[in-house]
Amino acid sequence: MSHSIIKSALKPLLLLAALFAFAVSAYTSANSADASSSDQQYSKVLKVAKKHLGASYVYGAVGPTHFDCSGFTKYIYKKSIKKSIPRTAQAQYNGTKKVSKSNIKKGDLVYFGGSKHSISHVGMYIGNGKMIDSQNRGVITEKVYSPWWHVVGFSRPATLSYD
């Protein structure tokens, strides 16, 4: 085989390799930008949530000084990143993208109750098995898996997508 035939056969392969390298680089860059954006958004939500630690629980309250559980989650997402989520815990569960326990991320919502059709409580996951929520002791940080809570599921508000 002559040198020119080998050269002409290699040209399309080299072009394909260069295009592949460019695509991988663009994909990696876009995903790290998305993760960075998600991290920044979570930081904003967490900052607003922490600012309200100690606020008192009042059934039906939506803030800024008193909250019920879903009033708290609705308030912190709206106030921090302008993300509007439904008002009640059940509506938040029904209206947001579900994630599995193995894929839970900081900023995801954690739901409690008898089943996915009878959600009675919601909190925001903050990592290490903990959440910030508003319950009878007010806005506190507590463990997700406690004897008094039955975890039903998890969801991720669209603007905090880690996909």
Side-chain angles (χ1 to χ4, degrees):
M1 204 183 270
S2 83
H3 187 61
S4 63
I5 294 173
I6 294 172
K7 236 173 129 178
S8 63
L10 283 178
K11 266 186 181 177
L13 291 176
L14 290 173
L15 180 61
L16 188 59
L19 285 172
F20 179 76
F22 175 76
V24 167
S25 172
Y27 176 81
T28 304
S29 175
N31 280 344
S32 64
D34 288 348
S36 175
S37 174
S38 293
D39 290 344
Q40 289 172 355
Q41 288 179 328
Y42 167 69
S43 293
K44 289 178 183 178
V45 175
L46 181 62
K47 183 178 180 182
V48 171
K50 282 184 169 181
K51 190 167 122 178
H52 294 284
L53 283 169
S56 58
Y57 176 88
V58 173
Y59 180 80
V62 294
T65 57
H66 308 295
F67 300 94
D68 69 6
C69 65
S70 57
F72 178 67
T73 52
K74 180 175 179 60
Y75 178 88
I76 62 175
Y77 283 100
K78 184 68 173 177
K79 188 77 171 170
S80 61
I81 60 171
K82 311 295 185 248
K83 171 67 178 172
S84 183
I85 60 176
R87 169 61 185 98
T88 67
Q90 184 71 58
Q92 289 176 9
Y93 179 80
N94 293 344
T96 53
K97 180 182 175 183
K98 308 306 171 285
V99 293
S100 65
K101 178 182 176 181
S102 61
N103 289 323
I104 192 165
K105 304 281 187 191
K106 294 175 181 178
D108 288 348
L109 298 177
V110 185
Y111 300 91
F112 305 87
S115 73
K116 63 183 180 179
H117 302 293
S118 65
I119 305 292
S120 57
H121 188 67
V122 62
M124 185 185 76
Y125 186 70
I126 59 171
N128 299 319
K130 294 186 177 180
M131 67 176 170
I132 293 180
D133 65 332
S134 180
Q135 42 106 318
N136 60 359
R137 294 182 286 153
V139 176
I140 63 168
T141 300
E142 66 176 322
K143 292 180 182 176
V144 170
Y145 294 96
S146 299
W148 50 89
W149 296 127
H150 175 253
V151 177
V152 173
F154 310 91
S155 76
R156 181 166 301 148
T159 55
L160 293 176
S161 177
Y162 288 80
D163 299 350

